[in-house]
Amino acid sequence: MKSTKIRHCGTVLALALAGMGAAAQAQETLKIGVLATLEGALTVSGQDGMRGMELAMRQHNFTAGGKKIEVIRASSTGQPDTAVNAARKLVEQDKVAILIGPLSGSEGIAVKDYAKTQPNVVFVNGSSAAQETTLKDPASNFYRFSTDGAQWSAGLGSYVYNDKGYKKVAVVAEDYSFPYAQVQGFMIEYCKAGGKVTDKQWVPLGTKDYSSVIAKLPSDVDAIYVALGGSDAVNFFSQYEQSGGNKPFIGGSITVDQTVLSYKGKRRDALVGTPAAGPTADNWDDPEWKKFVQAYRDAKFDNAYPTPGLFAHAYYVNTKAVLTGLDAVNGDVGKLGQQLATMTVQTPTGPVKLDENRNGVANIFLTEVAKGDNGALYNRVVKVTANVTQTLGLSKEEFAKMGFGTRTNPECK
């Protein structure tokens, strides 16, 4: 009888311990690092990216796959070395299991290369949009649900030529990988339609004085394609206005983002009608987009914009992908990569799936800048192009023959 009681008590104790173990497992904390550009010319972009990440985390109650999530934030300046240094600290010192980021194009290429040295860590893009990050020598543990800069240009070149009537344009763009991709994506369509790009001026990230650039712009163009972001775009627009410039603009994706449209210069209203393309459109009449915009507003973030910018959107989408994936694998980071590679994520701008290089295939929006009744500028949707791939409708062989966008590729003078 005594031995029976002992066995019974032992069984109860074992069950109790098992229950305690399960409870402890449910409360396990998972560290996720988030890297954005919070210094330099793209600071406001990084701040909005962090808002997007924060919104996704709040909606998930900072838990996923049965685990609590501890977010560790890190900053870069937009330069590759600072991004890698920040990523290294998150991974090697803070011991994050997942890293979301970075923000800018060349940063993404550098972090992708670093990811190859950390095969047990899952790297998920923030908003960086250089083509080479996933299309050239990709890392098997780096995933991008937010597409690249060339994809963001889908529909723009043909629209500018056929509908706006701009037959000849000049380009002013920042001198690094993301704007190369943006200009290439625009020019593939524009040149095919018959357009000519007669002048390109590449400027360093963080340029403050554009007087020499403006002075060199040819007078016989119909419009100026501008691929500048953050304070770079604001400085250029302000100085172009002061110089008496009057050419219409064509916008790179980050040039007409909310981080730029909120600036207060007199030439601000001259942006109305500016065509652009990108991963979002402020007034898209879709229930999921409207829900996202309302949630962003209801979050009451400090210094937030009337609608979430493309950086908030990108960080939100990539963070949501991580959280959705963790739920699907019950928090097992070892299984997360395969889950991310094969799942479809429902986002505010439509479904996103990854290609064989783990790069997003998604909707892209052709837009024009418009002015609301409250005086705020926004991007009005003109057309939605579905399921845009990295090779922009070209076969892999055709795209490989053309090569990546550079200062001089492509050309159509």
Side-chain angles (χ1 to χ4, degrees):
M1 183 69 179
K2 185 176 180 181
S3 62
T4 301
K5 287 183 178 180
I6 291 174
R7 286 197 299 271
H8 175 71
C9 290
T11 301
V12 171
L13 179 60
L15 289 172
L17 290 172
M20 290 172 62
Q25 179 69 22
Q27 296 301 311
E28 182 181 346
T29 298
L30 179 64
K31 290 183 179 181
I32 297 181
V34 182
L35 169 61
T37 301
L38 301 174
E39 306 163 61
L42 300 177
T43 296
V44 292
S45 305
Q47 291 168 344
D48 211 35
M50 285 295 192
R51 293 183 197 114
M53 176 278 298
E54 176 81 15
L55 179 58
M57 288 289 184
R58 288 186 190 181
Q59 291 177 340
H60 238 75
N61 297 316
F62 284 86
T63 62
K67 297 182 179 181
K68 290 184 177 180
I69 294 174
E70 177 186 353
V71 174
I72 303 176
R73 303 177 187 228
S75 173
S76 67
T77 66
Q79 299 299 328
D81 57 341
T82 65
V84 171
N85 288 340
R88 183 175 287 115
K89 178 184 180 298
L90 287 170
V91 172
E92 299 174 25
Q93 294 183 32
D94 298 319
K95 304 299 182 182
V96 301
I98 302 164
L99 191 153
I100 300 172
L103 180 137
S104 188
S106 293
E107 291 183 316
I109 297 171
V111 170
K112 177 269 301 263
D113 289 336
Y114 172 67
K116 295 176 183 178
T117 71
Q118 302 293 330
N120 295 323
V121 177
V122 175
F123 290 77
V124 179
N125 193 55
S127 60
S128 65
Q131 295 167 300
E132 297 99 312
T133 304
T134 53
L135 197 55
K136 180 180 180 182
D137 194 19
S140 61
N141 57 334
F142 190 103
Y143 307 82
R144 176 162 62 191
F145 289 83
S146 50
T147 59
D148 74 22
Q151 289 172 277
W152 292 359
S153 297
L156 180 59
S158 56
Y159 180 72
V160 162
Y161 186 86
N162 294 320
D163 293 74
K164 302 296 284 188
Y166 301 155
K167 309 302 182 186
K168 187 187 297 184
V169 305
V171 168
V172 177
E174 288 157 332
D175 193 5
Y176 69 102
S177 56
F178 166 69
Y180 298 162
Q182 283 263 274
V183 172
Q184 181 186 37
F186 165 70
M187 287 183 64
I188 286 173
E189 286 189 18
Y190 184 67
C191 299
K192 184 177 180 180
K196 303 296 180 184
V197 177
T198 61
D199 184 69
K200 295 179 188 174
Q201 298 197 48
W202 303 99
V203 299
L205 186 66
T207 294
K208 292 180 172 58
D209 183 359
Y210 286 90
S211 57
S212 62
V213 173
I214 293 168
K216 293 176 184 176
L217 288 170
S219 60
D220 62 344
V221 295
D222 299 313
I224 303 169
Y225 177 94
V226 183
L228 306 171
S231 61
D232 286 358
V234 173
N235 288 335
F236 175 78
F237 288 145
S238 299
Q239 292 170 39
Y240 188 76
E241 169 198 326
Q242 293 165 4
S243 75
N246 59 3
K247 298 293 183 182
F249 296 128
I250 303 162
S253 303
I254 62 175
T255 309
V256 294
D257 182 62
Q258 282 294 330
T259 56
V260 175
L261 293 184
S262 60
Y263 98 103
K264 306 300 182 183
K266 292 181 181 179
R267 187 166 166 80
R268 177 174 174 272
D269 284 354
L271 294 175
V272 173
T274 296
T280 66
D282 295 325
N283 77 327
W284 193 33
D285 189 21
D286 179 270
E288 290 304 311
W289 173 254
K290 290 181 177 180
K291 187 188 302 182
F292 174 56
V293 172
Q294 192 59 52
Y296 176 88
R297 292 171 178 170
D298 291 345
K300 300 187 183 304
F301 294 116
D302 291 340
N303 303 312
Y305 302 107
T307 56
L310 69 85
F311 298 97
H313 170 264
Y315 273 80
Y316 178 89
V317 165
N318 282 299
T319 302
K320 182 178 180 181
V322 168
L323 300 175
T324 302
L326 284 169
D327 280 343
V329 298
N330 297 316
D332 187 343
V333 177
K335 297 179 180 179
L336 179 60
Q338 180 62 24
Q339 176 65 26
L340 294 175
T342 56
M343 73 184 191
T344 297
V345 180
Q346 301 302 322
T347 81
T349 47
V352 180
K353 61 182 179 180
L354 301 187
D355 63 18
E356 64 272 20
N357 293 323
R358 294 161 297 284
N359 187 82
V361 177
N363 291 338
I364 300 297
F365 298 82
L366 177 65
T367 63
E368 282 196 6
V369 175
K371 189 173 184 178
D373 294 338
N374 62 355
L377 300 185
Y378 67 96
N379 288 299
R380 175 182 64 84
V381 64
V382 175
K383 178 185 176 183
V384 181
T385 304
N387 299 318
V388 176
T389 67
Q390 263 197 307
T391 56
L392 309 174
L394 302 175
S395 68
K396 291 181 181 179
E397 293 73 23
E398 289 174 319
F399 192 89
K401 184 177 180 180
M402 175 180 61
F404 292 107
T406 66
R407 285 180 165 199
T408 58
N409 184 49
E411 292 285 11
C412 59
K413 295 182 178 182

